Amino acid sequence: MPVASISPRWDLTPFFPSVDSPQLHDAIAQARKKVAELSAWFDANGIDAGASPERAAEKVESLIQSLNELGEEMELLGAYLSCVVTTDTRNADAQARMSELDQIASEASKLRTRFAGWIGSQSVQDLVEHSASARNHRFMLEKASIKAQHLMSPAEEALAAELRLTGSTAWSKLHSDVTSQIEVELELETGKETVPMSHVRTLAYERDREVRRAGYEAEMRTWKAFEVPLAAAMNSIKGEVSTLCRRRNWGSPLDEALFGANIDRPTLDAMMNAAKASFPMFRRYLRAKASLLGQATLPWFDMYAPVAQTASWNYDSACEFVERHFRSYSDRMGDFARRTFDENWIDVPPAPGKVDGAYCATVRKDESRILMNFKPSFTSVSTLAHELGHAYHSLCLAPRTELQKTTPMTLAETASIFCETIVRQAALREGSDAERLAILEGSLQGACGVVVDISSRFLFEQSVFAQRPDRELSPAELCEMMLSAQKQTYGDGLDEAFLHPYMWALKPHYYDADSFYNYPYMFGFLFGLGLYAQYEQDPNAFRSGYDDLLSSTGLADAATLAERFGIDIRSEGFWKNSLSIVERDVQKFERLVAPGTE
């Protein structure tokens, strides 16, 4: 199919006319006023001192209502401004409004901390017995009660929230601004040109090996030039996290992250052990790809190389394909996809000042926006399905309150992986032999990324947290730690002379005060595969409970929700069964590369 001009940009005007509009100004002022009023209510009602049992139920009703209302306003403002900034980090007005909102969010976080501290002084059982609102938010209250055990004094928590603005929040913003605005000098046979880093990274998918290599080499040179400020950002954020974890009596940043992810250490260990056991299987895939490309070993710049001549996908064709196969699952899912296209929810093309990658942001109730950097390949079709899965999850969550909708990353990937799998399986059924080879390879490429590469990122972050409390880590040390993690996971599947030592510099997941933004992707991928396998076994039974599961991801921990489908996530066997689906694809790939391979 011909490749059309990639032009669709998302429409944010249903939320606010522009960043300099009176409507946005008034909404920010209203949020600031609401935070001040709620803070005064806390003071007037003796929240910090702890309420008597007689008044606790009355107070919790009022607090839950106020926090839900404030949460809706902050979600709208935060998502809108984030959408504007991430499509053009050079937009000074949007950056200024975002800074204003950060100040308000800091004050709001103090209120949530005070709320958690107060809940810790109450009996959750008494609250749910005397308050319908408390019963509807029981899981949130139980989490708040546990969090209360890990709080510093109210004054210290308030100071930490204020300092975060000039600490991790500012360093995270620096990383986003710097990496999105990097210009790379690229040397190709056609001559020299200067292009955005996001464009250079797309060269990894080019058919011409010399272009891929030139892109890789230019990327490495450029990250080297920016390593000092990015290492400073990394050190500052991880230092802040380590200090606060120690002061809040968490055993480690990982323990705090697991609490936030609604899983426990036995679940993580079961999954990571299954992943480690699968590394030899993924190395077989990487060696088979190297053979297909005529190489003895696979360097990093060949990991994403196309392996078959396939038709290019333009954006319109991608939308049609995704909608059609979403509809094969249910009309609700198909209609929802059509709505996102008709209402221009998606920002499609790469652009100067636009952040790399893709994401989905819930803006208001069932309305989301999706950022992409579309390339004319099935990889972007798969990404489109993935991000639409996130938006569909938000649709299912829409009837819930803001406090009920809080979903950890472990479960936030459930719908995205499921939707991505629907589209991939359809493409494998309908494609030509060459297309099936390319799609199968793309699927394995993605699986390798969320199992092997995520494992390497997990190991890297563990190493950083192990060493950062003692001193700052130099860019060279960060590179060595990343290389060590990649060697432990990729092993002989890749050429050790051409790895990616600067993965720590480019991934925004490291530059957030919420640590270990890595293993939840693996959880979501393997959990989603397990659910898809159940869907294949009994589609009608699965459909009857799936949307309710998505609607409930903020109402219970992951193990409790998994039990609805007969899944024990603390069992290594479950994760190995999910990985066995990938094993079958590796075997198919090996047979296509070398007929006769068993």
Side-chain angles (χ1 to χ4, degrees):
M1 60 192 72
V3 181
S5 173
I6 301 172
S7 59
R9 307 299 301 266
W10 55 26
D11 179 13
L12 301 179
T13 57
F15 311 117
F16 298 101
S18 66
V19 294
D20 57 358
S21 66
Q23 292 92 328
L24 179 62
H25 180 274
D26 291 346
I28 292 175
Q30 179 62 30
R32 183 183 292 110
K33 178 183 177 183
K34 184 160 289 187
V35 169
E37 290 175 345
L38 187 54
S39 179
W41 191 94
F42 270 56
D43 293 339
N45 286 272
I47 292 301
D48 290 331
S52 64
E54 293 75 18
R55 293 201 58 203
E58 177 186 340
K59 287 189 175 186
V60 81
E61 293 270 357
S62 180
L63 282 169
I64 287 174
Q65 179 179 345
S66 295
L67 289 171
N68 277 323
E69 291 172 355
L70 178 60
E72 284 189 15
E73 294 183 23
M74 294 298 290
E75 178 180 68
L76 170 60
L77 289 166
Y80 171 78
L81 288 172
S82 179
C83 286
V84 176
V85 169
T86 53
T87 45
D88 185 6
T89 58
R90 302 166 302 179
N91 188 324
D93 289 340
Q95 294 278 19
R97 300 292 82 73
M98 181 66 85
S99 181
E100 283 185 65
L101 190 64
D102 285 342
Q103 299 282 347
I104 300 170
S106 176
E107 294 302 312
S109 74
K110 296 178 189 178
L111 298 179
R112 289 191 294 272
T113 299
R114 291 176 70 179
F115 175 74
W118 177 69
I119 293 298
S121 70
Q122 303 298 312
S123 162
V124 172
Q125 183 59 39
D126 286 345
L127 291 175
V128 299
E129 286 180 0
H130 294 89
S131 164
S133 183
R135 284 194 293 278
N136 292 333
H137 293 81
R138 178 168 191 150
F139 182 65
M140 178 274 294
L141 295 176
E142 290 172 341
K143 292 275 289 185
S145 183
I146 296 172
K147 182 179 178 180
Q149 301 170 26
H150 295 279
L151 292 177
M152 301 179 290
S153 70
E156 288 173 315
E157 287 292 349
L159 179 61
E162 291 181 23
L163 290 177
R164 183 171 180 172
L165 290 173
T166 52
S168 57
T169 298
W171 287 109
S172 178
K173 182 174 178 291
L174 173 71
H175 176 268
S176 177
D177 291 349
V178 168
T179 56
S180 64
Q181 296 178 35
I182 289 176
E183 297 284 324
V184 181
E185 187 174 273
L186 191 62
E187 296 183 22
L188 300 173
E189 289 185 358
T190 54
K192 290 185 179 181
E193 55 180 310
T194 301
V195 297
M197 177 63 83
S198 58
H199 174 75
V200 172
R201 288 185 52 74
T202 66
L203 298 181
Y205 298 88
E206 288 290 323
R207 191 161 299 281
D208 188 326
R209 190 168 194 260
E210 290 309 310
V211 171
R212 296 197 302 271
R213 181 165 186 154
Y216 168 83
E217 291 174 346
E219 186 186 348
M220 294 302 108
R221 288 194 303 270
T222 306
W223 288 126
K224 174 71 175 175
F226 286 87
E227 66 179 6
V228 172
L230 298 180
M234 172 79 76
N235 275 293
S236 299
I237 292 169
K238 300 310 182 190
E240 176 186 302
V241 171
S242 295
T243 298
L244 290 175
C245 279
R246 184 175 67 254
R247 294 297 300 270
R248 289 169 175 153
N249 295 316
W250 288 104
S252 69
L254 179 57
D255 290 327
E256 183 179 23
L258 290 172
F259 171 74
N262 290 352
I263 66 171
D264 53 21
R265 189 67 73 112
T267 297
L268 178 69
D269 289 345
M271 182 181 72
M272 297 305 292
N273 288 337
K276 185 176 181 179
S278 75
F279 292 165
M281 175 258 291
F282 282 105
R283 292 166 188 168
R284 282 170 34 215
Y285 148 67
L286 293 169
R287 288 194 294 270
K289 180 165 184 175
S291 174
L292 188 61
L293 295 173
Q295 304 296 322
T297 55
L298 197 69
W300 193 279
F301 59 81
D302 280 344
M303 266 217 293
Y304 308 104
V307 298
Q309 188 70 44
T310 61
S312 293
W313 289 79
N314 63 40
Y315 178 67
D316 290 340
S317 298
C319 292
E320 184 279 328
F321 188 84
V322 169
E323 180 189 347
R324 176 157 51 90
H325 290 291
F326 274 20
R327 199 170 297 283
S328 72
Y329 172 77
S330 72
D331 283 336
R332 186 188 192 208
M333 188 178 283
D335 290 343
F336 180 72
R338 173 43 49 191
R339 177 189 175 194
T340 69
F341 305 145
D342 290 344
E343 296 180 7
N344 292 328
W345 287 18
I346 307 173
D347 198 86
V348 179
K354 182 178 179 179
V355 299
D356 196 10
Y359 71 76
C360 175
T362 303
V363 187
R364 181 175 58 195
K365 296 294 184 181
D366 62 349
E367 298 175 85
S368 298
R369 290 298 183 268
I370 292 169
L371 179 141
M372 294 188 67
N373 285 273
F374 193 88
K375 298 176 287 291
S377 69
F378 183 76
T379 300
S380 282
V381 182
S382 182
T383 298
L384 176 62
H386 181 101
E387 300 305 336
L388 283 171
H390 283 302
Y392 185 77
H393 193 166
S394 294
L395 172 72
C396 294
L397 283 168
R400 303 294 186 184
T401 69
E402 286 299 303
L403 293 174
Q404 291 173 330
K405 289 195 295 187
T406 303
T407 296
M409 261 196 62
T410 40
L411 295 171
E413 294 297 313
T414 302
S416 57
I417 295 299
F418 184 80
C419 287
E420 184 181 339
T421 305
I422 288 174
V423 168
R424 183 179 67 250
Q425 293 300 319
L428 287 171
R429 290 192 302 270
E430 297 180 13
S432 65
D433 288 346
E435 287 172 331
R436 279 195 288 270
L437 174 61
I439 293 166
L440 185 61
E441 198 280 324
S443 174
L444 289 173
Q445 186 184 107
C448 187
V450 294
V451 178
V452 182
D453 200 62
I454 286 296
S455 293
S456 73
R457 295 187 220 170
F458 178 79
L459 292 174
F460 169 81
E461 194 159 3
Q462 277 191 313
S463 298
V464 171
F465 276 123
Q467 299 184 44
R468 177 61 185 89
D470 298 328
R471 60 177 176 82
E472 290 187 350
L473 302 168
S474 70
E477 287 175 307
L478 293 172
C479 286
E480 282 302 316
M481 292 161 70
M482 182 57 75
L483 288 173
S484 174
Q486 289 172 352
K487 290 173 183 177
Q488 291 178 62
T489 50
Y490 286 101
D492 61 4
L494 291 181
D495 184 344
E496 289 192 0
F498 296 96
L499 297 176
H500 200 310
Y502 284 101
M503 187 60 68
W504 62 269
L506 72 95
K507 286 296 177 184
H509 309 92
Y510 294 124
Y511 298 85
D512 191 289
D514 294 324
S515 306
F516 289 97
Y517 204 133
N518 37 55
Y519 70 82
Y521 279 108
M522 189 194 306
F523 184 105
F525 172 68
L526 297 177
F527 188 59
L529 282 184
L531 288 175
Y532 188 82
Q534 294 212 352
Y535 162 62
E536 287 186 312
Q537 291 172 9
D538 192 341
N540 291 330
F542 182 88
R543 288 189 189 96
S544 67
Y546 181 61
D547 283 9
D548 182 60
L549 171 69
L550 295 180
S551 177
S552 304
T553 50
L555 302 182
D557 60 46
T560 299
L561 292 171
E563 286 175 3
R564 294 188 183 183
F565 286 85
I567 294 172
D568 178 7
I569 61 174
R570 297 186 180 97
S571 166
E572 197 170 318
F574 166 71
W575 305 106
K576 286 184 174 180
N577 284 338
S578 291
L579 283 160
S580 69
I581 298 173
V582 182
E583 167 73 28
R584 291 197 295 271
D585 284 348
V586 170
Q587 292 171 351
K588 293 176 188 175
F589 186 72
E590 289 175 317
R591 286 194 292 269
L592 288 169
V593 171
T597 302
E598 294 297 329

